[in-house]
Amino acid sequence: MQYGGASIQRVLRTTGGLGGVLAGLMVAVGFLALPSLGLAADAPPAVTEYRDIPGIGSRNLVWIIAQLHLLLAGFVLGVPIFAWLCEVVGWKSGEKRYDKLAKEFTKLLTSSYATTALFGGILLFLLIAFYPKLMNYLTDIFFPSFIFYCILFLLETATLYLYWYGWDAMQDGHKKTFHIFLGFLLNLFAFFIMIVPNSWATFQASPVVISEGTDLQRAWAATWNPTWWPVNIHRLIANVVLGGYICGAYAGIRYLSARNSEERDHYDWMGYVGNFIGVFGLLPLPFAGYWLMREIYQYNQQMGITLMGGFLSWLFILQAMLIGVLFLGSNYYFWLGITHRIPGSEMRYRKPIMTMLVILLLCLGVWMTPHSLVASLEEARKMGGTHHPLLGVFGVMSAKMTVSNLMILVTFMSFIMYWRAGKEETAGWAKAAKALMSALLVIAGIAVVVLGVWGYFVPAIIRINYFSTSQVGIVLFVMLTITPLTALLLKSAKTTTEMVWGRMPPRAGYALVLNAVMVILLMTLMGYARSSSRVHWHIYGVMRDSSQYAFSPALGYAAALMALNTFLFCLLVAFIFWVATMGDKTKAGGHGEPAKGGLPQGMPAMAGGSPTRQIES
């Protein structure tokens, strides 16, 4: 520094006049800046918190990729459950059609697995690139679970390859038993692959942070956060619903394009199984969602109010509409099955079907009624506020919990009615059992309505803690009682009318596709709701979002992205299914003559119709 000061003085002495003084000062500043430049060269670069991409924006890109990955993962993790169950049923009963169905389900799984992993990798790279600060924090917390997840992924991949490629080779004796065991392992690994990333996502909404302890202790505390298990159960059931309805849609499309009676019969039956699986998961799904919302309220009441009473509350009106359409579509498919697959049953079941349809529509109307209406100033003055004097009573949770439970009961009745159609009970205790089941349904319906009306006159804490949970318990008790009782009755029942497959009208296939689209829209909707409930926080109450996107998107904007995500996912699924069926088309086209019951020149037959009649017409 002494040498630098002497140099500056010599430069100043050699300059004269005003210009010389200014020039000398500039040179002096340059000399003084040299040490700081040297220090800056040794200092670490500033940490980048966010990056953006022009045009689409980093948040939108991550939103799209994350949603597609989540939907694909839901399908990949849901399909192995009922594929394995179908294989077990076929193994125990000796019916080869169940094994064939399980193999076809697994074929769809293998086609989707690589695409799911691809989108997962893209999502990881985007998160690291666009949100480095957030990812550094999450990595510091969850690093042990990252290692565990990688091991699980390797085990899942190896098991899936063995399960799929060893299917034909493991069909007899102990080999089949080992193949069943591989299917069990596949589902076990898939379950853990689901719940480990769930801990990362739920930590952002309900974080548990400890500053002391080992890495494992910190990771475990963060994993076991208040909303982890509610989300695990909710997503497990939702994955089954998604997988069932997508497989049903696949069967519906294959049924509509079937080339012979054998294909129509098979894909009609496959569509029935897919719809059954979807409904089987759909019935308890609202209960899991209620548990999740209850835990959110208990963790942070403000977050719950943002979801159910703030600007996000309108999403639950859309949710009611989508769930209502899903219930109607599922019941409609059941009713079509009764009237078309079982000869002579149309007149017998017309009145019960109409009664259930009216109840479903009335319940849907109540469920869709908002608490506060969007009204102009003049309309609000005429109503005396934003609450309608007549319809306002239907906009509260007491009414919505009541009608949702009634819709579940009606859908369950449709399933039982379809199950018992064409059969006559021969057991001596059949009359008493049928009377008991009828009484249970009637009493349960009355109890649900009474508790719902009573809920208007008690404090909210009483309604939430006791009345709503009692409604859920009543409906679950009815389903868990009537289902095994019906199975016992039908075990010795006599079949009066054989079910005929392949006779469903084309609209049945369209209903299956509609159900799948509704489920996808529903999952994109609630994904937005869950993420937006954190408002301007990356990790609620711990790490604030300071990016340019630190706001919740408007509902209209979000709805457009939800529709885009649904459309892109449907395109992906269509492409995956097309690739999966290319081999089947090649095999079918390799024969010189059409299959039995097929049409000449490979022309597809209209589903539900007779090839002979179509040729003659």
Side-chain angles (χ1 to χ4, degrees):
M1 289 297 294
Q2 291 177 352
Y3 174 78
S7 301
I8 293 171
Q9 291 175 1
R10 283 196 298 270
V11 171
L12 289 175
R13 281 196 297 267
T14 57
T15 57
L18 181 59
V21 172
L22 291 176
L25 287 174
M26 292 178 64
V27 173
V29 170
F31 272 94
L32 291 173
L34 286 176
S36 62
L37 290 174
L39 291 174
D42 297 333
V47 177
T48 302
E49 294 188 5
Y50 302 100
R51 295 185 182 92
D52 197 15
I53 185 170
I56 187 173
S58 59
R59 181 172 68 175
N60 289 342
L61 185 58
V62 169
W63 186 350
I64 293 171
I65 298 299
Q67 188 66 71
L68 292 176
H69 173 64
L70 185 63
L71 290 169
L72 285 167
F75 177 72
V76 166
L77 298 177
V79 168
I81 298 174
F82 47 84
W84 179 69
L85 290 175
C86 286
E87 186 186 12
V88 171
V89 171
W91 177 48
K92 288 294 185 181
S93 64
E95 293 190 48
K96 292 297 182 183
R97 62 173 183 165
Y98 284 101
D99 194 80
K100 179 183 177 182
L101 182 65
K103 187 177 181 181
E104 191 153 9
F105 282 150
T106 309
K107 178 175 67 176
L108 301 179
L109 169 65
T110 55
S111 304
S112 309
Y113 191 78
T115 310
T116 307
L118 172 65
F119 274 87
I122 294 173
L123 176 61
L124 175 62
F125 291 142
L126 291 179
L127 288 174
I128 293 173
F130 293 143
Y131 299 94
K133 180 182 176 181
L134 171 64
M135 293 305 294
N136 283 337
Y137 184 85
L138 292 177
T139 302
D140 184 59
I141 295 289
F142 288 105
F143 181 73
S145 66
F146 287 4
I147 303 298
F148 182 54
Y149 182 78
C150 292
I151 296 172
L152 284 172
F153 196 80
L154 290 173
L155 292 173
E156 169 85 355
T157 304
T159 308
L160 176 60
Y161 286 158
L162 287 172
Y163 187 67
W164 170 246
Y165 290 107
W167 198 293
D168 295 329
M170 302 180 189
Q171 284 296 310
D172 301 316
H174 295 295
K175 291 182 179 180
K176 186 63 176 177
T177 306
F178 180 68
H179 193 262
I180 296 290
F181 177 68
L182 285 176
F184 170 76
L185 286 181
L186 183 67
N187 282 284
L188 181 66
F189 294 144
F191 175 73
F192 282 102
I193 282 178
M194 179 193 71
I195 68 173
V196 171
N198 281 350
S199 67
W200 311 335
T202 54
F203 173 79
Q204 292 185 257
S206 54
V208 176
V209 181
I210 59 174
S211 57
E212 299 178 354
T214 64
D215 289 346
L216 281 174
Q217 290 172 335
R218 293 170 63 232
W220 182 247
T223 297
W224 202 277
N225 61 77
T227 59
W228 184 43
W229 272 109
V231 167
N232 288 339
I233 301 302
H234 191 267
R235 280 192 172 170
L236 177 64
I237 300 173
N239 290 345
V240 173
V241 174
L242 177 68
Y245 279 123
I246 289 182
C247 287
Y250 166 80
I253 293 172
R254 294 297 299 269
Y255 178 74
L256 291 171
S257 60
R259 296 176 179 272
N260 53 63
S261 58
E262 184 181 356
E263 284 189 4
R264 283 196 299 276
D265 293 352
H266 173 69
Y267 287 111
D268 185 16
W269 179 65
M270 185 178 180
Y272 157 72
V273 174
N275 188 67
F276 167 76
I277 293 168
V279 172
F280 180 79
L282 182 63
L283 293 179
L285 187 59
F287 303 146
Y290 178 77
W291 179 31
L292 174 59
M293 285 305 306
R294 180 185 171 90
E295 291 296 327
I296 289 174
Y297 263 101
Q298 287 186 339
Y299 174 76
N300 189 288
Q301 192 175 19
Q302 182 57 51
M303 184 183 290
I305 292 173
T306 301
L307 276 167
M308 302 295 293
F311 81 101
L312 294 176
S313 60
W314 278 96
L315 294 179
F316 289 88
I317 303 300
L318 297 177
Q319 180 205 42
M321 182 184 69
L322 294 175
I323 294 178
V325 173
L326 192 56
F327 271 110
L328 286 172
S330 301
N331 280 278
Y332 181 64
Y333 187 81
F334 276 139
W335 300 336
L336 285 177
I338 292 175
T339 56
H340 287 82
R341 294 193 185 116
I342 304 172
S345 61
E346 183 176 358
M347 297 303 298
R348 178 183 175 187
Y349 291 101
R350 176 173 291 180
K351 287 185 178 180
I353 287 174
M354 288 301 298
T355 303
M356 289 188 288
L357 176 61
V358 170
I359 294 174
L360 285 174
L361 290 175
L362 290 175
C363 290
L364 177 58
V366 173
W367 201 353
M368 290 173 56
T369 303
H371 186 216
S372 301
L373 299 178
V374 178
S376 64
L377 182 60
E378 183 180 355
E379 291 170 335
R381 285 173 178 170
K382 290 181 179 179
M383 290 190 299
T386 57
H387 303 287
H388 194 277
L390 178 61
L391 301 179
V393 295
F394 298 138
V396 295
M397 284 306 299
S398 188
K400 297 183 186 303
M401 280 294 295
T402 301
V403 296
S404 63
N405 281 283
L406 289 177
M407 291 180 77
I408 292 171
L409 279 176
V410 170
T411 305
F412 179 69
M413 289 171 60
S414 282
F415 167 69
I416 295 297
M417 187 173 68
Y418 181 85
W419 195 6
R420 291 169 51 180
K423 297 180 179 65
E424 181 181 348
E425 296 83 359
T426 58
W429 48 277
K431 288 186 178 180
K434 290 166 68 175
L436 175 63
M437 289 189 288
S438 300
L440 278 176
L441 283 170
V442 172
I443 293 172
I446 294 174
V448 167
V449 173
V450 169
L451 287 172
V453 175
W454 196 358
Y456 285 95
F457 306 100
V458 297
I461 191 66
I462 301 296
R463 185 183 70 249
I464 294 171
N465 282 339
Y466 300 105
F467 285 16
S468 296
T469 53
S470 297
Q471 288 176 320
V472 171
I474 289 169
V475 175
L476 285 176
F477 174 77
V478 168
M479 291 193 294
L480 294 176
T481 303
I482 292 181
T483 301
L485 201 56
T486 304
L488 287 174
L489 277 176
L490 297 182
K491 193 173 183 180
S492 59
K494 180 178 65 176
T495 301
T496 57
T497 307
E498 288 289 345
M499 192 172 292
V500 182
W501 300 102
R503 296 184 56 181
M504 292 284 272
R507 59 183 181 272
Y510 302 141
L512 291 173
V513 175
L514 173 67
N515 289 341
V517 174
M518 290 299 104
V519 169
I520 298 166
L521 274 172
L522 191 59
M523 293 187 75
T524 59
L525 175 79
M526 299 319 295
Y528 162 71
R530 184 190 60 80
S531 297
S532 295
S533 65
R534 291 183 280 108
V535 288
H536 54 273
W537 296 93
H538 287 311
I539 301 171
Y540 196 78
V542 175
M543 180 181 289
R544 194 182 184 96
D545 184 357
S546 57
S547 70
Q548 59 179 317
Y549 302 111
F551 61 91
S552 297
L555 298 183
Y557 184 85
L561 267 176
M562 294 175 211
L564 175 63
N565 288 333
T566 302
F567 177 71
L568 292 176
F569 180 70
C570 289
L571 284 182
L572 270 175
V573 170
F575 174 75
I576 291 169
F577 287 175
W578 174 70
V579 171
T581 56
M582 287 179 69
D584 298 341
K585 294 177 182 178
T586 303
K587 292 177 183 178
H591 300 286
E593 298 179 359
K596 183 180 179 181
L599 294 178
Q601 301 176 357
M603 184 173 64
M606 176 59 72
S610 169
T612 306
R613 287 198 301 268
Q614 291 181 28
I615 294 172
E616 291 174 353
S617 61

